[in-house]
Amino acid sequence: MHVIENDVKWAIEHGIGVFTQAPQLDIFGPMPTWTTWETAYRLSKCVIIFDCVKFAWKRERMKIFEWTCAELAEEMKRRYGKGMYHAAAVYRQVFKKGTPSSNAFVQELGNSMSLATKIAEDIRFPACRIVFRQEEGEISKLAVALPDGHLVESVLIFSNGRTTQCVSSQVGCRMGCKFCVTGEMGFVRDLTVEEIVWQVYAARFELGRSIDNVVFMGMGEPLDNFDNVVQAVRVMQDQRGLDIACSHITLRSEERRVGKECRSRW
């Protein structure tokens, strides 16, 4: 049986760990070489290494930045047998306090260190980071590096004691507007839900800004990434988390019309 390189990459990208009896093959850390894996095989959410170990498995991490609190509660019930009470505590700690560590979770979860540790290990945080910041009067421009190295822009606008954040929904854009620099790039890819939500999270907890309004006027055409944008809005407006009311979230589109399909899916 021969290794399929994409299968091993798939396992790593989805947080599925592999360990073997041979130390040089341990890839809970970085993968040394692809040629090492001559008999790897992916089965569902498991990776089995036939020549080194009988079975190795690590569950997929929880993408909390892509879920509402209710969706997190469903996953926590499946994983830990816990419901909305525990989910709300975790959600509150992440999105209202910005302290997603086991020590922070333990008090919220009734002093259960073992449960708090499991949850802290299972939560997935987007591997995004702010790599550049430019201040221009009442405007702060941010360059955000995504996990694959692409950059998107996010802008904070301060006016009358309130902060409006302009977020991106795509890398590049297919619209080709003459007045827009992004249009000259062409379309590269859609942002994921967690990459959109992280922009607001970072402004609040890394820059210390309370965000009052969100506008989808950064890079990309939001209606071209409709499903991810809608889910990001649901996460942002969840009252147990970032708690930005839908009336304070605006989508600006260059599309000439929004069809019945878009309205029904919203």
Side-chain angles (χ1 to χ4, degrees):
M1 185 175 297
H2 299 286
V3 64
I4 301 175
E5 180 175 322
N6 287 339
D7 283 349
V8 181
K9 289 182 177 179
W10 176 92
I12 296 174
E13 289 171 357
H14 287 77
I16 299 169
V18 179
F19 63 90
T20 74
Q21 293 174 348
Q24 69 272 20
L25 302 187
D26 191 332
I27 63 163
F28 272 115
M31 178 83 170
T33 61
W34 296 116
T35 55
T36 304
W37 302 91
E38 294 180 353
T39 56
Y41 176 71
R42 186 189 75 193
L43 175 63
S44 182
K45 292 185 179 179
C46 306
V47 174
I48 303 175
I49 309 304
F50 288 94
D51 60 343
C52 299
V53 74
K54 293 181 179 179
F55 180 76
W57 175 80
K58 182 176 182 290
R59 74 178 110 199
E60 189 172 353
R61 301 181 76 181
M62 295 191 293
K63 298 180 181 179
I64 191 171
F65 277 68
E66 295 195 353
W67 297 338
T68 64
C69 187
E71 291 165 338
L72 176 64
E74 292 178 4
E75 180 64 15
M76 289 185 63
K77 182 177 181 180
R78 185 182 70 83
R79 289 185 182 230
Y80 317 114
K82 303 297 182 182
M84 179 56 77
Y85 174 83
H86 289 82
V90 171
Y91 213 74
R92 180 169 58 248
Q93 197 67 44
V94 172
F95 288 112
K96 286 194 177 295
K97 300 182 180 180
T99 50
S101 66
S102 56
N103 289 334
F105 287 150
V106 68
Q107 291 184 344
E108 294 277 3
L109 299 174
N111 293 319
S112 175
M113 179 56 78
S114 60
L115 177 60
T117 300
K118 288 180 183 178
I119 292 173
E121 290 175 350
D122 283 351
I123 287 179
R124 164 174 162 160
F125 268 70
C128 304
R129 65 190 190 282
I130 296 172
V131 294
F132 179 76
R133 182 178 179 182
Q134 180 180 357
E135 304 288 344
E136 296 181 0
E138 295 184 338
I139 296 176
S140 180
K141 297 181 179 180
L142 312 174
V144 176
L146 306 175
D148 59 6
H150 288 300
L151 296 177
V152 294
E153 186 180 52
S154 185
V155 179
L156 302 179
I157 304 169
F158 315 114
S159 178
N160 298 322
R162 302 180 69 83
T163 302
T164 298
Q165 183 170 9
C166 176
V167 299
S168 294
S169 57
Q170 294 178 316
V171 180
C173 182
R174 72 173 178 85
M175 301 305 291
C177 299
K178 300 298 183 182
F179 60 85
C180 181
V181 176
T182 302
E184 298 177 1
M185 294 175 56
F187 174 73
V188 179
R189 72 169 177 86
D190 290 331
L191 265 61
T192 64
V193 176
E194 63 182 5
E195 289 169 342
I196 297 172
V197 173
W198 187 87
Q199 296 173 64
V200 178
Y201 177 90
R204 178 170 291 184
F205 294 110
E206 293 193 15
L207 303 181
R209 293 289 183 176
S210 177
I211 304 302
D212 301 292
N213 307 294
V214 173
V215 293
F216 283 82
M217 293 178 61
M219 293 173 64
E221 166 53 55
L223 292 187
D224 279 354
N225 189 15
F226 187 81
D227 290 337
N228 287 351
V229 167
V230 169
Q231 180 63 14
V233 170
R234 291 190 181 113
V235 175
M236 291 179 195
Q237 62 89 38
D238 197 308
Q239 293 182 341
R240 300 177 184 88
L242 293 171
D243 194 17
I244 301 173
C246 280
S247 58
H248 288 256
I249 301 176
T250 303
L251 272 67
R252 183 185 186 278
S253 173
E254 290 301 320
E255 297 282 5
R256 293 295 177 263
R257 53 186 178 177
V258 180
K260 293 181 179 179
E261 179 186 359
C262 289
R263 289 197 294 270
S264 63
R265 287 162 66 194
W266 185 276

